[in-house]
Amino acid sequence: WPWMRNNPGMTLLMITALGMVSVLGTIFGTHVYIQNQANWREFKQQDNDMFLALVNKLSLTSTKPQQRRVAVLALGSTKDPRAIPLLVDLLGQENEPSILDGIQQSLVSAGPTVIPELRHLNQALKNDLDSLSYGGNSQEQLLASLRLRATQKAIAKVLKVYSGSV
């Protein structure tokens, strides 16, 4: 106190400088935060665009199985959490054996987090195959058995590759 009373000009200068530093720091911090949010939104948009482009390549109307296989493998290498459920659903619907192998590879590369979804698909396909044995034609039974085998192979590969972490 005594020093502040003896030096009011210096005290006012220090308080003003402290206030200016606080205001400028707040402005700079806000600018950095806004820039980080804009960058995050841009990266998120790029991820969404890439995911949608890969999903469009996976459309069942595509006549080139090789393009679909490449899209499946690319989708499996993305870190998008939407890719795993999509690949598992695709595994349960696919008709082309070469694409089934690609889906297996993608799911195995995704790691042990896919096991619960593959387990559910495995049970559903087993039920489908059991029900087809009572009244389905041989083509439907063949497709169901191929899908079931592919699902079981994917589960086995995941368990084998990630045996230390499962």
Side-chain angles (χ1 to χ4, degrees):
W1 255 159
W3 184 85
M4 288 173 60
R5 284 188 170 177
N6 290 338
N7 300 312
M10 187 60 89
T11 302
L12 185 61
L13 181 64
M14 286 186 346
I15 290 174
T16 304
L18 185 63
M20 292 294 275
V21 167
S22 297
V23 167
L24 291 175
T26 302
I27 291 172
F28 179 74
T30 303
H31 177 69
V32 168
Y33 175 77
I34 290 171
Q35 189 64 39
N36 285 340
Q37 291 296 314
N39 289 342
W40 180 81
R41 272 188 241 106
E42 184 178 333
F43 288 136
K44 197 68 167 165
Q45 184 62 38
Q46 288 174 354
D47 288 345
N48 284 336
D49 292 345
M50 182 181 66
F51 182 78
L52 291 174
L54 289 172
V55 169
N56 286 338
K57 286 196 183 256
L58 286 176
S59 70
L60 295 175
T61 58
S62 175
T63 57
K64 296 182 181 176
Q66 187 61 25
Q67 285 181 340
R68 292 185 67 222
R69 183 176 165 87
V70 168
V72 163
L73 293 173
L75 193 60
S77 67
T78 64
K79 300 300 179 195
D80 197 322
R82 300 172 293 182
I84 300 304
L86 179 68
L87 287 171
V88 171
D89 289 343
L90 191 60
L91 183 62
Q93 298 172 2
E94 187 55 50
N95 299 332
E96 185 71 35
S98 67
I99 296 175
L100 284 172
D101 291 338
I103 296 169
Q104 277 180 37
Q105 288 176 337
S106 294
L107 289 171
V108 169
S109 69
T113 58
V114 302
I115 289 179
E117 293 187 45
L118 283 174
R119 187 176 58 85
H120 293 298
L121 178 63
N122 185 45
Q123 188 63 42
L125 289 173
K126 183 160 177 25
N127 291 340
D128 286 349
L129 189 59
D130 289 345
S131 68
L132 286 173
S133 66
Y134 294 113
N137 64 28
S138 62
Q139 181 66 21
E140 289 175 331
Q141 288 177 345
L142 178 65
L143 281 174
S145 65
L146 281 174
R147 292 172 185 153
L148 180 62
R149 192 174 314 127
T151 303
Q152 290 172 346
K153 284 169 91 176
I155 292 171
K157 286 178 182 179
V158 168
L159 291 175
K160 180 76 173 173
V161 171
Y162 298 99
S163 63
S165 64
V166 176

